[in-house]
Amino acid sequence: MIIPIVIFMIKRMANGLATCIVMEGYLNQTDANTFTKEWIQTNDIGMIVNKELYVIGRTNEWINVAGVKYDCRSIEDKLNSECDIYPGRVILTSIHHKNIGTNTPIVLCESKAGTNVNVLVQSIRNTLWSNYGLSVSKIIVKSKGFIVKTTSGK
């Protein structure tokens, strides 16, 4: 897993937030390119309350798989409504593979107590394929409480 390190400053831009000196690199990735731009747009949407920054979403909640863009929020909503997942406890994201030049989608979710994990995984695969023509490389199923959320639900 690649984990970004070090965030210092943010500023508001027309299409969301931008950050200054985003990171020096990636954790355990010595070959990663260093960042040289002064400001890098993160596509985060935020608000400041009592001088505290809260990131509340992203301007671009889409993943691109083999040239096809998928709306993560609507797909997550569909999985929540059709699969045995705790409400609001599913994440559709992707991992970029430079060697094949595309993103591989993955799903992380929390199953309800007593759910047969194999049946849930097949239900997720069927829902994604029949509704979106989307095949995921990995589905990670965890118990309730694994996905940490803020009080605002993010």
Side-chain angles (χ1 to χ4, degrees):
M1 175 181 280
I2 296 176
I3 301 172
I5 52 174
V6 189
I7 297 180
F8 289 102
M9 291 177 52
I10 57 109
K11 74 176 181 178
R12 190 177 348 189
M13 298 187 72
N15 293 330
L17 302 177
T19 184
C20 176
I21 313 173
V22 176
M23 60 186 110
E24 295 174 356
Y26 289 97
L27 184 64
N28 299 325
Q29 297 285 317
T30 56
D31 62 338
N33 294 332
T34 56
F35 293 84
T36 57
K37 290 182 178 179
E38 183 179 337
W39 290 93
I40 298 174
Q41 190 152 352
T42 64
N43 293 322
D44 291 319
I45 299 171
M47 64 182 190
I48 297 175
V49 178
N50 298 326
K51 298 183 180 179
E52 298 267 338
L53 171 67
Y54 295 87
V55 177
I56 57 173
R58 299 196 40 84
T59 59
N60 191 348
E61 297 258 349
W62 297 72
I63 59 172
N64 189 333
V65 179
V68 179
K69 289 188 176 184
Y70 295 93
D71 177 7
C72 294
R73 282 190 180 203
S74 66
I75 294 173
E76 291 165 355
D77 288 346
K78 185 72 162 176
L79 290 173
N80 267 305
S81 69
E82 294 192 10
C83 301
D84 207 10
I85 298 169
Y86 275 107
R89 298 294 181 159
V90 61
I91 300 167
L92 173 65
T93 189
S94 64
I95 299 171
H96 182 71
H97 295 281
K98 191 187 322 184
N99 57 337
I100 60 174
T102 191
N103 295 315
T104 302
I106 61 172
V107 171
L108 171 64
C109 67
E110 293 181 359
S111 64
K112 292 181 179 177
T115 300
N116 180 312
V117 173
N118 292 327
V119 171
L120 175 59
V121 166
Q122 192 57 50
S123 173
I124 291 169
R125 288 191 188 283
N126 290 343
T127 300
L128 291 173
W129 183 253
S130 64
N131 290 280
Y132 305 99
L134 181 62
S135 176
V136 294
S137 63
K138 191 170 197 175
I139 298 172
I140 303 165
V141 179
K142 296 292 185 178
S143 58
K144 187 176 183 192
F146 180 82
I147 299 173
V148 180
K149 291 184 143 193
T150 66
T151 54
S152 67
K154 291 287 174 190

